[in-house]
Amino acid sequence: MKSNYRIRGAINPGIVLDLAIFITNLFVMRRLSAAFAGTLKSADRGSVIAQGVLFAIFVLLFILPPLGATLLRWHFHRRRKSDFEKQERSALAGCLFNPIFYFCLTAVIFSVINAFFLQTIAKNGDPGPAVFITSIFIGLALMITHTVLVYRFFIPPKKPPQSAFLLSPVSERLGHSFIFLNAFLYQIIWNTLTFSGIGPPSGVAEAIGRLFFIGFLALLIYFPPRMFYLVDSVTNRKTWITIILANLPMVLRLVFGLGNDVSVSR
């Protein structure tokens, strides 16, 4: 099935995202991930600035998807011609678009944010069980709201939004920008695995095993930020080719233990 969503009649934004990440993975992603890995080390050594940067990154990971989905929803469905509800019945779409997996990923992100929050409070004394329990309930409400807003994106709106801003072209451009930024942040974090010191495989069997496992993991991590543009092209072969292409540089580095020449920023 061919994708019907276009920006101003030009090109599928998902393909643009895949190609942009592929180019970034080739030329600058290693250095960005090296800086992120260095920030992790500095935060572990107690750097307040590094901890603040990490906190900001994970807050962005938490808020960018629902913001992007809300800003883009009307424009996305207005430009589409296909019926997502029919495609959702396919086995592949039903598996990939399951909100349970997405909710679990959101829970991981919030857990990191909550850990930063509780650690900050703990510096001024023991926050006590009441604060911890309250943060869990607030977090649960935020995670549910996050998931609902994201998956509401896939439901065609019955009428235009009342907000003039949500109808404006600025809303659409911001929505795309937030979704792209979210995908790039995932890539930066995901690419830090290339600094794990994995050497070349001992043989063909190990290389094939790595390729299968790391390739599957790459698609699993790449899918959540990419799924907004996968609605009407989930069965399109060209879409999956560009998705694989986007992740190929990083997968090959891990499979063959390449690219360990970039030092981690301190």
Side-chain angles (χ1 to χ4, degrees):
M1 182 180 296
K2 295 183 177 180
S3 174
N4 294 306
Y5 181 56
R6 299 288 186 272
I7 299 178
R8 297 182 180 179
I11 191 170
N12 186 315
I15 303 298
V16 175
L17 176 61
D18 294 336
L19 295 178
I21 286 182
F22 171 71
I23 293 172
T24 306
N25 272 331
L26 282 180
F27 298 107
V28 298
M29 187 60 74
R30 282 279 294 165
R31 297 191 179 278
L32 292 175
S33 295
F36 180 78
T39 303
L40 285 175
K41 288 190 173 183
S42 297
D44 186 56
R45 291 194 295 264
S47 171
V48 176
I49 295 177
Q51 291 173 357
V53 170
L54 292 178
F55 178 76
I57 289 174
F58 279 92
V59 168
L60 284 174
L61 288 173
F62 193 82
I63 66 174
L64 285 174
L67 281 177
T70 302
L71 291 170
L72 191 58
R73 182 179 177 228
W74 165 252
H75 305 281
F76 178 83
H77 289 286
R78 182 172 61 89
R79 295 181 185 277
R80 295 178 67 238
K81 296 180 181 179
S82 59
D83 183 2
F84 174 65
E85 292 181 357
K86 293 180 180 178
Q87 297 168 42
E88 194 178 21
R89 299 188 190 108
S90 72
L92 180 60
C95 175
L96 291 177
F97 286 91
N98 192 318
I100 296 177
F101 165 71
Y102 189 89
F103 179 83
C104 292
L105 179 64
T106 303
V108 172
I109 295 173
F110 177 79
S111 297
V112 175
I113 296 173
N114 196 41
F116 276 108
F117 172 73
L118 293 176
Q119 183 180 11
T120 302
I121 294 180
K123 291 179 180 179
N124 299 321
D126 185 5
V131 175
F132 176 75
I133 294 174
T134 301
S135 70
I136 294 299
F137 278 103
I138 292 176
L140 185 62
L142 290 175
M143 288 184 288
I144 292 174
T145 302
H146 174 114
T147 305
V148 168
L149 288 176
V150 167
Y151 277 82
R152 182 171 172 264
F153 172 85
F154 303 114
I155 303 174
K158 296 181 179 180
K159 58 182 180 179
Q162 296 182 351
S163 170
F165 176 72
L166 292 179
L167 294 170
S168 68
V170 176
S171 170
E172 182 176 19
R173 288 193 290 268
L174 277 177
H176 285 298
S177 299
F178 290 163
I179 291 173
F180 271 54
L181 177 58
N182 184 55
F184 275 93
L185 289 176
Y186 268 93
Q187 280 293 304
I188 291 172
I189 296 172
W190 167 233
N191 269 265
T192 56
L193 282 180
T194 57
F195 297 100
S196 59
I198 299 177
S202 59
V204 176
E206 184 180 351
I208 294 175
R210 284 189 188 183
L211 180 62
F212 176 80
F213 177 73
I214 296 171
F216 174 76
L217 204 59
L219 292 180
L220 201 63
I221 294 175
Y222 189 61
F223 177 77
R226 174 68 168 82
M227 69 178 182
F228 296 102
Y229 302 133
L230 200 59
V231 174
D232 53 3
S233 59
V234 67
T235 57
N236 188 345
R237 183 180 302 176
K238 182 172 65 175
T239 297
W240 288 102
I241 289 174
T242 59
I243 287 176
I244 293 172
L245 181 68
N247 290 275
L248 191 59
M250 191 271 185
V251 170
L252 292 180
R253 289 187 190 114
L254 283 175
V255 170
F256 297 105
L258 303 174
N260 294 321
D261 56 317
V262 180
S263 60
V264 176
S265 302
R266 297 183 181 275

